[in-house]
């Protein structure tokens, strides 16, 4: 089985001497690093001859400003095409697909236009040349696509087929239009130096009405040939053609055409045009005379024009299945052994042979960018052509090419967003490819991060969502933006990290006596349950709020419950007990006797559990001193509160 | 492929490794000059060296980034028998103003008694772990239990490979489907050393790594090894750099068929083998989706290998030195986008001499009923231009080649001598 790829492309790395050095490299998400090195350890000449690191990019076209339009607009068409689908059948479906194909082509043409303008406007010759060469490649793409549209999508039958092919040739070989304007604009058209060239080209393209008008100008200006011109003009007028609204059958047409052909032949044999070589040669062309046609090589430009003209004047009702035969012989006759076919010729020939696989293969070899093959293959796949042609890997080929194209888009800092949709429509490997690509999008701004998150969330990519949030949380912690870190870890549902950030908050509180990011902590809601420490943080902050609102009873109840329920980490108990001090010292009794007992138990728990240190240094001694004072104060306050509470409770009960 | 930029590395000796971070916005280089440099990409796409510091007391072989979930963390390994972990500090100092960042050494892993030849962070789902391998034939797996305290690393496993180790690769497959797995390659060139690639798998029950497979067919020295990203496949793909490039698939044999509890057994197939590098292959590495393998060899080229939709592997690209020195500027942008520039074939065909083709059609004037009449009104017909194009526009031209004078190299360490 043939392969899709041709010869490997060679990229030259400047300055690296591949003869006696090697290269080390690394893959990035969109780029590659390459650098000269020597792997043979211990060689004498170690210093690199090329002390440069080279950044290699894969798809050059992705970075072209003008082509961005092509990518952007075709993306819309692509997505639309994926959606038209199924409900449509038969004629309406075909009409839809043809419309889609034309939309793609008009995007190519618009892009080509813009590039052409840019080429004209280009300041320096080299960029102008480069743009021009891109124009010709786009033009070739459109040419190929157009032919594929006629043959594979439109599937024009015998008769209309030739009309389509004529349109195709006229569209792509249209220098004649400017020539026409030029000649008609001159004072005396029939004396214009290109007059006969123009008429010949018009005839070659089957534009007989226009040719006839030109002949009438010649007749007016030159009475001696007026008669001949009229006869030839009549032949042009009477040539039977299939017109779209006409109901005549192919057989009728063929019969009429045969009759007309014989008439032309008779005029030639009667030497009607003998005195005018120009007119005679036109008559020969209209007879489909191969030698006469080949004499016009320079006006035909290329073999496929030759093919279409030849069919027009000798086999106007050519069947699609016979096309390849005429195509091959036209190519052979036209090149005449002087030159060999080139990639474009091979691509067109494969299309005439209805070998879709070959068309795609040749295109992907000849074009470095995947835009063309990916979109064309996808469209042909929607026409159900890849299956019917017995390519058992048909849908794989579509996906393979789309994946290539989408990966290329992901190398670009903004086009990657288009790539997402292409991955979405690759049933087999699209999702996993998207997962691998999307997590590599640099989260350089919050806006970009949110965009990545939205894409992942829409597709239930939980692991990627978690990872992105985690990265952002870590970044925020490193920059000491605790609020942001906390909200990202909540979004990541990362309990461990939420604990870590909560600890930071509490540590900061211990150090500075106030909380940052109050908004966030006050509005944690159910997210508070993510980790015990976070719950504690939320509750502890609630205590502060209650205290600030002078709701001392609620505050004290909460404070105590934080310790008794073990939500508060033991390391924080001393802080909590210290927080209780002012409550104990209030005029009215806040902690009941029972609550005071609980507080006392907590304090004793804490102090008794303390391990004795071996050899304390002075700093520690000082710390211990402060600690001991604190404990003494607490004990005193607790005892006094207990006394007051007992009295209060006793007197209340007694009354 | 095209060279988008060339950046003067400014290392005083041979560069041994270049490494992109996870997002491709930073890179690290390491060199025989014993230093590591970190480079950052600015919004405009320029690269700036933001840190450069001496990391080891010998050649630095490899440098690698941890996943950004763990912060900005690098690991390096060296001829000085150590591996080290570095963390970037977000400083309040003046560094930031000068566009410099500050990296601190969090730990030095000193367990090896010989040159540490490779260092790799484990897949992120395993936590912050890294593996080293060394010339003494031991793979060591370390873990930082607290990701906020990178100064504590505990040596979790020591796997003896019996052969001098040159390279390691973690299997990136997710934990749910597969146990942690690491492949080790050896460049031992002694004549009686046999198979050079061993695969170890973590056993949940014994909590140890046990040998799952030995690739018996690989008997020549192995310089690099790389598991491909999994893409949801049921089997693993492993690339090996030896005297040629080899790609193996490893299909796990269903558990119930093997003795329970033991390591997974694999059906191993070689799916590709290429000797295009002519001699030794030194590096192999997969792109992020595991669809393209790059290899670097004695022929001085980096070759790209890709399987087409029929699963046939072929060389699709070659990066090759052009041999001429680069002109002096430190950063060059070669951003000349050109459609199809890699393959001048089509341009030839379009612009070549054959029958003087016109490929840019000035638009038809709108014709009633023409399919294109609506489109043709968009723009007035441009003047007719005939294009000619040189075939070699694709080749990047570097004007005025001029050899840069190099600063004197440091005296190389006697790295060949036994350690």
């Amino acid at each position: 089985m043939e392969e899709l790829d041709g010869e490997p492309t060679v990229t030259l790395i400047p300055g690296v001497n591949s003869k006696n050095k090697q290269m080390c490299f690394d893959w990035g998400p969109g780029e590659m690093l390459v650098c000269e090195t020597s792997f043979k350890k211990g060689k004498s000449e170690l210093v690199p001859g090329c002390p440069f690191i080279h950044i290699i990019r894969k798809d050059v076209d992705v970075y072209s400003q003008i082509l961005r339009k092509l990518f952007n607009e075709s993306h819309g068409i692509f997505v639309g095409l994926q959606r038209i689908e199924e409900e449509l059948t038969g004629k309406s479906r075909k009409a839809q697909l043809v419309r889609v194909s034309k939309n793609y082509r008009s995007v190519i043409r618009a892009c080509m236009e813009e590039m052409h303008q840019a080429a004209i406007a280009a300041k320096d010759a080299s960029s102008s040349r480069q743009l021009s060469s891109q124009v010709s490649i786009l033009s070739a793409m459109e040419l190929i696509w157009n032919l594929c549209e006629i043959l594979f999508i439109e599937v024009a039958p015998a008769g209309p087929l030739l009309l389509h092919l004529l349109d195709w040739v006229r569209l792509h070989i249209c220098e004649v239009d400017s020539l026409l304007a030029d000649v008609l604009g001159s004072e005396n058209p029939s004396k214009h130096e290109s007059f006969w060239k123009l008429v010949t080209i018009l005839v070659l393209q089957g534009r007989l009405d226009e040719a006839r008008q030109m002949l009438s100008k010649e007749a007016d200006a030159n009475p001696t040939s007026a008669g001949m011109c009229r006869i030839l003009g009549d032949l042009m007028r009477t040539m039977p053609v299939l017109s779209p609204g006409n109901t005549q059958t192919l057989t009728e047409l063929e019969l009429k055409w045969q009759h007309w052909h014989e008439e032309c032949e008779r005029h030639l044999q009667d030497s009607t045009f003998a005195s005018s070589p120009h007119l005679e040669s036109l008559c020969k062309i209209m007879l489909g005379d191969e030698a006469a046609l080949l004499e016009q090589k320079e006006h035909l430009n290329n073999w496929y024009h030759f093919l279409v003209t030849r069919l027009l004047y000798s086999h106007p009702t050519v069947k699609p299945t016979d096309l390849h035969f005429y195509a091959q012989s036209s190519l052979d006759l036209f090149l005449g052994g002087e030159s060999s076919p080139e990639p474009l010729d091979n691509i067109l020939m494969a299309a005439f042979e209805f070998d879709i696989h070959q068309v795609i293969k040749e295109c992907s070899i000849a074009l470095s960018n995947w835009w063309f093959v990916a979109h064309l293959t996808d469209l042909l796949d929607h026409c159900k052509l890849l299956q019917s042609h017995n390519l058992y890997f048909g849908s794989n080929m579509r996906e393979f090419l789309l994946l290539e194209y989408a990966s290329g888009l992901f190398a670009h800092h903004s086009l990657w967003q288009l790539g997402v949709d292409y991955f979405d429509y690759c049933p087999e490997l699209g999702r996993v490819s998207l997962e691998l690509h999307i997590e590599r999008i640099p989260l350089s701004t919050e806006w970009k991060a949110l965009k990545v998150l939205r894409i992942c969330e829409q597709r239930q990519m939980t692991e990627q969502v978690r990872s992105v949030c985690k990265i952002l949380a870590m970044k925020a912690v490193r920059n000491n933006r605790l609020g942001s870190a906390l909200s990202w870890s909540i979004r990541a549902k990362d309990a461990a990290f939420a604990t870590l950030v909560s600890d930071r908050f509490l540590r900061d509180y211990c150090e500075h006596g106030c909380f940052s990011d109050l908004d966030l902590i006050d509005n944690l809601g159910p997210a508070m349950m993510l980790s015990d420490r976070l719950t504690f943080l939320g509750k502890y902050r609630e205590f502060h709020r209650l205290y600030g609102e002078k709701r001392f009873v609620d505050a004290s109840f909460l404070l105590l419950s934080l310790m008794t329920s073990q939500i508060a980490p033991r390391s924080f108990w001393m802080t909590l007990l210290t927080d209780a001090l002012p409550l104990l010292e209030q005029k009215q009794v806040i902690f009941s006797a029972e609550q005071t007992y609980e507080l006392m138990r907590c304090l004793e728990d804490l102090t008794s559990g303390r391990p004795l240190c071996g050899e304390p240094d002075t700093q520690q001694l000082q710390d211990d001193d402060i600690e001991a004072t604190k404990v003494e104060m607490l004990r005193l306050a607790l005892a006094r509160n207990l006394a007051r509470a007992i009295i209060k409770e006793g007197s209340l009960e007694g009354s | 492929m095209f060279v988008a930029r060339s950046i003067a590395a400014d290392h005083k000796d041979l560069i041994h490794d270049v490494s992109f971070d996870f997002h491709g916005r930073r890179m690290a280089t390491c060199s025989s000059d014993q230093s590591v440099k970190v480079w950052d990409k600015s919004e405009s796409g320029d690269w700036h060296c933001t840190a450069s510091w001496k990391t080891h007391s010998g050649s630095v072989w490899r440098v690698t980034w941890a996943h950004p979930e763990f912060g900005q963390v690098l690991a390096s390994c060296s001829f000085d028998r150590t591996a080290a972990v570095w963390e970037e500090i977000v400083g309040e100092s003046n560094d930031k103003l000068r566009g410099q960042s500050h990296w601190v050494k969090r730990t030095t892993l000193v367990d090896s008694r010989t040159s540490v030849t490779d260092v790799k962070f484990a897949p992120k789902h395993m936590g912050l772990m890294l593996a080293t391998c060394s010339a003494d034939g031991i793979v060591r797996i370390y873990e930082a239990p607290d990701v906020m305290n990178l100064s504590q690393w505990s040596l979790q496993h020591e796997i003896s490979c019996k052969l001098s180790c040159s390279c390691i690769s973690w299997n990136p497959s997710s934990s749910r489907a597969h146990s942690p797995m690491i492949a080790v390659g050896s460049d031992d060139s002694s004549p009686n050393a046999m198979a050079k690639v061993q695969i170890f798998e973590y056993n949940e029950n014994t909590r140890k790594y046990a040998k799952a497979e030995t690739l018996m067919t690989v008997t020549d020295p192995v310089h690099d090894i790389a598991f491909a990203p999994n893409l949801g496949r049921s089997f693993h793909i492993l690339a090996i750099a030896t005297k040629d490039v080899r790609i193996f698939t490893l299909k796990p044999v269903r558990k119930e068929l093997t003795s329970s509890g033991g390591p997974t057994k694999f059906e191993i197939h070689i799916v590709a083998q290429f000797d295009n590098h002519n001699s030794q292959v030194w590096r192999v590495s997969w792109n992020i989706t595991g669809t393209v393998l790059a290899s670097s060899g004695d022929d001085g080229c980096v070759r790209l290998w890709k399987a087409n939709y029929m699963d046939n592997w072929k060389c699709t690209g070659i990066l090759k030195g052009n041999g001429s020195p680069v002109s002096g500027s430190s950063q060059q942008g070669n951003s000349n986008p050109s459609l199809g520039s890699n393959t001048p074939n089509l341009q030839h065909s379009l612009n070549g001499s054959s029958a003087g083709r016109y490929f840019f059609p000035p638009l038809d004037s709108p014709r009633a009923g023409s399919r294109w009449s609506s489109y043709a009104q968009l723009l007035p017909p441009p003047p007719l231009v005939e294009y000619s194009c040189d075939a070699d526009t694709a080749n990047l031209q570097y004007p005025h080649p001029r050899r840069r004078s190099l600063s004197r190299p440091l005296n190389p360490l006697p790295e060949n001598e036994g350690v």
Side-chain angles (χ1 to χ4, degrees):
Chain A
M1 186 49 81
E2 289 145 320
E3 254 114 276
L4 191 67
D5 13 30
E7 284 302 294
T9 57
V10 176
T11 308
L12 292 180
I13 310 297
V16 173
N17 185 352
S18 281
K19 282 204 185 75
N20 46 31
K21 289 285 171 53
Q22 291 97 43
M23 284 189 268
C24 62
F25 63 90
D26 192 33
W27 287 101
E31 298 168 324
M32 209 177 172
L33 292 175
V34 169
C35 175
E36 186 178 274
T37 189
S38 176
F39 290 110
K40 294 166 191 167
K41 287 160 192 170
K43 278 278 168 70
S44 55
E45 190 210 0
L46 277 173
V47 178
C50 173
F52 284 87
I53 306 161
H54 304 279
I55 311 273
I56 313 292
R57 284 179 178 170
K58 184 178 161 235
D59 204 344
V60 71
D61 302 337
V62 171
Y63 303 94
S64 152
Q65 274 303 320
I66 298 174
L67 288 176
R68 283 188 68 153
K69 290 218 174 75
L70 179 71
F71 302 140
N72 269 315
E73 288 180 24
S74 55
H75 164 259
I77 303 173
F78 172 84
V79 172
L81 172 60
Q82 312 307 307
R83 289 178 185 154
I84 65 161
E85 266 320 290
E86 310 320 331
E87 74 258 31
L88 294 167
T89 49
K91 268 222 167 89
S92 63
R93 182 182 166 83
K94 185 170 132 183
Q96 272 278 28
L97 291 169
V98 171
R99 190 149 56 239
V100 168
S101 175
K102 287 183 178 167
N103 286 342
Y104 276 129
R105 283 202 291 128
S106 69
V107 171
I108 302 178
R109 288 188 77 87
C111 200
M112 199 156 81
E113 267 311 313
E114 194 175 328
M115 208 164 265
H116 180 61
Q117 297 304 331
I120 293 166
K123 295 265 182 325
D124 59 309
S126 87
S127 66
S128 161
R129 198 164 54 230
Q130 202 156 26
L131 286 164
S132 306
S133 86
Q134 293 188 33
V135 169
S136 43
I137 290 170
L138 282 170
S139 172
M141 285 183 183
E142 210 264 338
L143 177 84
I144 298 163
W145 192 303
N146 196 171
L147 184 62
C148 290
E149 179 183 303
I150 294 166
L151 298 176
F152 305 138
I153 304 169
E154 194 98 53
V155 204
L161 173 64
L162 184 67
L163 298 181
H164 282 297
L165 290 177
L166 268 175
D167 277 347
W168 175 62
V169 160
R170 285 171 194 163
L171 185 65
H172 290 96
I173 301 161
C174 39
E175 55 171 310
V176 63
D177 289 295
S178 55
L179 191 63
L180 186 65
D182 201 19
V183 170
L184 286 177
S186 68
E187 248 169 55
N188 196 347
S190 64
K191 291 286 179 290
H192 192 282
E193 55 175 358
S194 299
F195 178 79
W196 288 108
K197 176 183 171 190
L198 174 65
V199 179
T200 309
I201 294 174
L202 289 172
V203 173
L204 289 172
Q205 293 200 0
R207 296 163 70 165
L208 295 181
D209 284 343
E210 286 155 287
R212 218 149 45 83
Q213 283 169 18
M214 299 308 293
L215 280 186
S216 71
K217 291 208 187 315
E218 162 72 5
D220 293 346
N222 191 355
T224 54
S225 64
M228 286 187 287
C229 285
R230 210 194 57 244
I231 295 170
L232 194 66
D234 280 347
L235 286 176
M236 288 176 179
R237 190 170 47 81
T238 54
M239 177 175 167
V241 283
L242 195 72
S243 48
N246 210 323
T247 49
Q248 65 180 337
T249 62
L250 271 188
T251 336
E252 283 169 356
L253 178 76
E254 272 167 3
L255 225 82
K256 280 190 196 160
W257 189 87
Q258 201 56 45
H259 183 75
W260 173 83
H261 190 79
E262 279 159 17
E263 201 182 327
C264 292
E265 187 108 52
R266 209 187 56 231
H267 279 296
L268 196 65
Q269 271 158 17
D270 296 352
S271 307
T272 310
F273 309 112
S275 55
S276 166
H278 286 301
L279 293 177
E280 191 169 65
S281 117
L282 289 179
C283 183
K284 279 185 183 165
I285 291 170
M286 287 164 65
L287 273 167
D289 182 286
E290 272 168 18
L293 282 173
L294 285 171
E295 271 173 37
Q296 307 299 334
K297 244 186 184 175
E298 63 167 321
H299 296 142
L300 285 167
N301 285 332
N302 49 53
W303 67 272
Y304 44 90
H305 189 349
F306 171 57
L307 163 72
V308 174
T309 307
R310 191 178 158 209
L311 290 173
L312 174 67
Y313 294 116
S314 53
H315 308 279
T317 55
V318 63
K319 288 201 230 42
T321 45
D322 295 335
L323 259 185
H324 73 98
F325 161 74
Y326 294 111
Q328 187 62 56
S329 72
S330 300
L331 176 68
D332 293 343
L333 281 169
F334 197 83
L335 297 184
E338 289 163 32
S339 53
S340 51
E342 283 155 4
L344 182 64
D345 302 327
N346 295 333
I347 294 166
L348 296 176
M349 188 55 75
F352 283 124
E353 287 166 355
F354 287 85
D355 188 345
I356 291 175
H357 177 220
Q358 187 69 15
V359 171
I360 293 163
K361 180 188 150 184
E362 298 264 356
C363 286
S364 42
I365 293 170
L367 302 162
S368 73
N369 101 346
W370 297 95
W371 179 89
F372 181 78
V373 275
H375 287 87
L376 181 62
T377 308
D378 173 60
L379 179 58
L380 295 177
D381 191 53
H382 278 87
C383 300
K384 312 268 183 239
L385 283 168
L386 298 181
Q387 286 93 323
S388 69
H389 278 248
N390 292 327
L391 310 177
Y392 69 94
F393 49 83
S395 63
N396 281 344
M397 180 162 71
R398 169 189 172 274
E399 180 159 326
F400 177 90
L401 296 169
L402 287 177
L403 290 174
E404 279 296 335
Y405 175 64
S407 312
L409 293 177
F410 260 86
H412 190 269
H413 62 88
S414 68
L415 287 175
W416 64 269
Q417 295 164 73
L418 304 178
V420 174
D421 286 313
Y422 288 90
F423 281 134
D424 279 348
Y425 291 108
C426 292
E428 224 174 298
L429 291 174
R431 187 185 164 93
V432 59
S433 303
L434 178 58
E435 286 174 356
L436 287 169
H437 278 289
I438 194 102
E439 61 182 12
R440 303 281 184 149
I441 296 296
L443 309 167
S444 38
T445 61
E446 179 116 334
W447 179 81
K448 212 168 173 184
L450 289 172
K451 186 163 238 169
V452 169
L453 276 177
R454 197 169 59 242
I455 289 167
C456 294
E457 279 167 350
Q458 279 164 355
R459 289 160 183 78
Q460 279 92 46
M461 296 181 169
T462 44
E463 169 50 27
Q464 280 68 31
V465 170
R466 192 202 60 73
S467 184
V468 166
C469 294
K470 182 76 191 283
I471 291 169
L472 292 166
M474 181 56 103
K475 204 161 149 186
V477 161
R478 280 164 34 82
N479 288 291
N480 242 341
R481 288 183 286 113
L482 294 184
S484 170
L486 186 58
S487 56
W488 283 120
S489 41
I490 289 169
R491 198 155 171 187
K493 298 193 178 59
D494 186 335
F497 212 73
T499 299
L500 191 145
V501 179
S502 305
D503 274 339
R504 282 278 184 93
F505 266 108
L506 294 170
R507 201 182 72 197
D508 274 14
Y509 171 74
C510 289
E511 280 168 15
H512 305 111
C514 62
F515 283 109
S516 56
D517 301 283
L518 286 178
D519 264 6
L520 177 69
I521 304 172
D522 284 346
N523 296 299
L524 282 172
M528 201 190 280
M529 308 310 287
L530 182 60
S531 91
D532 280 357
R533 198 59 45 85
L534 184 59
T535 315
F536 171 67
L537 175 66
K539 289 290 175 193
Y540 183 56
R541 163 62 198 154
E542 197 179 321
F543 161 76
H544 276 259
R545 214 180 54 231
L546 291 171
Y547 185 87
E549 290 165 4
K550 301 206 187 322
R551 293 162 62 188
F552 296 131
V553 178
D554 294 337
S556 61
F557 183 78
L558 178 59
L559 187 71
L560 186 59
S561 72
L562 283 176
M563 281 184 285
T564 52
S565 65
Q566 306 286 329
I567 290 175
R570 281 182 81 87
S571 59
F572 213 74
W573 281 22
M574 190 47 92
T575 313
L576 292 179
L577 287 166
T578 319
D579 283 336
L581 255 181
L583 290 167
L584 293 167
E585 301 288 343
Q586 291 287 320
K587 261 193 207 119
Q588 78 267 43
V589 178
I590 295 165
F591 285 104
S592 69
E594 185 139 351
Q595 284 175 322
T596 314
Y597 284 128
E598 286 284 345
L599 282 174
M600 287 169 126
R601 191 180 55 75
C602 290
L603 181 62
E604 290 318 306
D605 263 14
L606 201 60
T607 46
S608 65
R610 232 166 241 180
L612 288 165
C613 295
E615 282 179 34
D617 54 33
T618 39
Q619 176 64 39
Q620 197 165 1
L621 277 172
Q622 219 166 16
D623 284 354
D624 282 355
D625 223 31
I626 296 169
E627 200 74 13
T629 321
K630 236 187 219 170
V631 172
E632 284 311 309
M633 277 170 66
L634 272 169
R635 285 205 174 113
L636 183 65
L638 284 165
R640 280 169 32 183
N641 189 72
L642 182 61
R644 293 187 327 174
I646 290 171
I647 291 168
K648 189 185 167 206
E649 282 159 27
S651 59
L652 272 177
E653 270 160 13
S655 68
Chain B
M1 308 279 271
F2 67 108
V3 180
R5 272 200 157 70
S6 301
I7 303 150
D10 206 26
H11 272 290
K12 293 184 179 58
D13 205 339
L14 199 70
I15 295 171
H16 291 291
D17 200 13
V18 285
S19 176
F20 258 130
D21 80 333
F22 186 73
H23 291 119
R25 301 281 305 177
R26 316 190 83 182
M27 63 172 166
T29 52
C30 65
S31 157
S32 270
D33 69 8
Q34 309 182 353
S35 74
V36 164
K37 285 177 198 276
V38 171
W39 308 75
D40 283 282
K41 190 181 190 175
S42 68
E43 280 307 312
S44 61
D46 291 330
W47 288 87
H48 301 284
C49 180
T50 54
S52 171
W53 71 101
K54 183 175 185 300
T55 48
H56 289 275
S57 52
S59 286
V60 189
W61 300 136
R62 293 272 197 160
V63 61
T64 186
W65 295 82
H67 193 280
E69 278 185 23
F70 304 111
Q72 296 298 308
V73 180
L74 281 171
S76 58
C77 67
S78 164
F79 176 71
D80 73 1
R81 310 175 194 183
T82 68
V85 176
W86 310 87
E87 187 177 23
E88 186 183 31
I89 296 300
V90 180
E92 294 101 41
S93 69
N94 301 328
D95 285 349
K96 235 179 181 170
L97 297 174
R98 287 187 287 116
Q100 294 294 299
S101 66
H102 190 54
W103 290 76
V104 293
K105 187 192 272 189
R106 288 305 187 195
T107 196
T108 307
L109 306 171
V110 294
D111 303 275
S112 171
R113 282 192 258 158
T114 56
S115 172
V116 181
T117 50
D118 201 358
V119 59
K120 295 275 165 67
F121 283 101
K124 70 167 192 292
H125 62 77
M126 293 170 61
L128 186 52
M129 292 184 104
L130 65 78
T132 64
C133 72
S134 46
D136 59 7
I138 296 174
V139 172
R140 294 181 175 85
I141 296 172
Y142 299 87
E143 181 174 17
D146 176 4
V147 296
M148 296 312 287
N149 179 8
L150 300 188
S151 57
Q152 280 177 17
W153 287 81
S154 56
L155 177 59
Q156 295 282 333
H157 304 279
E158 278 193 314
I159 310 167
S160 173
C161 300
K162 311 277 194 308
L163 288 171
S164 165
C165 300
S166 56
C167 50
I168 40 181
S169 174
W170 289 95
N171 186 339
S173 301
S174 82
S175 57
R176 253 161 297 145
H178 309 281
S179 302
M181 192 192 290
I182 191 165
V184 189
S186 165
D187 59 357
D188 199 317
S189 51
S190 58
N192 50 357
M194 289 299 290
K196 297 298 192 304
V197 175
Q198 301 173 63
I199 294 161
F200 297 92
E201 190 190 42
Y202 183 67
N203 186 316
E204 295 291 346
N205 300 323
T206 62
R207 300 183 177 208
K208 282 200 168 96
Y209 279 85
K211 194 189 285 183
E213 283 295 344
T214 304
L215 299 192
M216 300 309 295
T217 53
V218 184
T219 52
D220 296 290
V222 167
H223 307 293
D224 202 9
I225 194 161
F227 273 111
N230 186 278
L231 287 171
R233 286 180 300 252
S234 60
F235 58 91
H236 312 292
I237 297 182
L238 184 66
I240 291 169
T242 173
K243 63 174 182 182
D244 47 22
V245 180
R246 292 188 205 180
I247 303 170
F248 289 92
T249 56
L250 291 84
K251 254 188 204 104
V253 178
R254 287 189 304 151
K255 275 278 183 190
E256 55 264 39
L257 298 179
T258 62
S259 55
S260 61
T264 315
K265 286 291 158 200
F266 296 94
E267 267 177 44
I268 300 173
H269 293 286
I270 185 159
V271 291
Q273 183 167 11
F274 300 105
D275 57 6
N276 304 48
H277 286 295
N278 298 328
S279 179
Q280 295 300 311
V281 182
W282 295 98
R283 286 284 172 90
V284 281
S285 171
W286 297 92
N287 69 344
I288 61 162
T289 48
T291 49
V292 183
L293 177 74
S295 64
S296 175
D298 262 349
D299 60 351
C301 297
V302 174
R303 289 171 189 272
L304 306 179
W305 310 94
K306 184 169 177 22
N308 68 5
Y309 51 90
M310 307 282 299
D311 254 347
N312 287 331
W313 290 87
K314 284 197 89 176
C315 182
T316 62
I318 301 171
L319 305 177
K320 188 178 178 181
N322 76 346
S324 61
V326 192
S327 57
S329 77
S330 67
Q331 195 154 146
Q332 301 152 331
N334 307 317
S335 49
N336 289 328
S338 84
L339 193 72
S341 66
N342 290 347
T343 46
N345 305 359
L346 195 60
Q347 288 184 19
H348 267 301
S349 113
L350 292 167
N351 304 295
S353 56
S354 64
R357 289 169 178 173
Y358 292 93
F359 259 90
F360 186 73
L363 293 171
D364 293 5
S365 47
R367 282 180 280 134
S370 153
R371 288 181 287 129
W372 287 100
S373 55
S374 59
Y375 169 68
Q377 286 160 341
L378 285 174
L379 289 160
L384 186 74
V385 180
E386 187 179 353
Y387 294 104
S388 67
C389 178
D390 295 338
D392 61 353
T393 46
N395 300 346
L396 293 161
Q397 298 291 314
Y398 283 84
H400 313 303
R402 140 175 102 81
R403 187 162 284 285
R404 276 167 61 90
S405 59
L406 292 161
S407 48
R408 240 178 74 80
L410 297 178
N411 290 332
L413 285 170
E415 274 146 16
N416 261 4
E417 288 155 29
V419 187

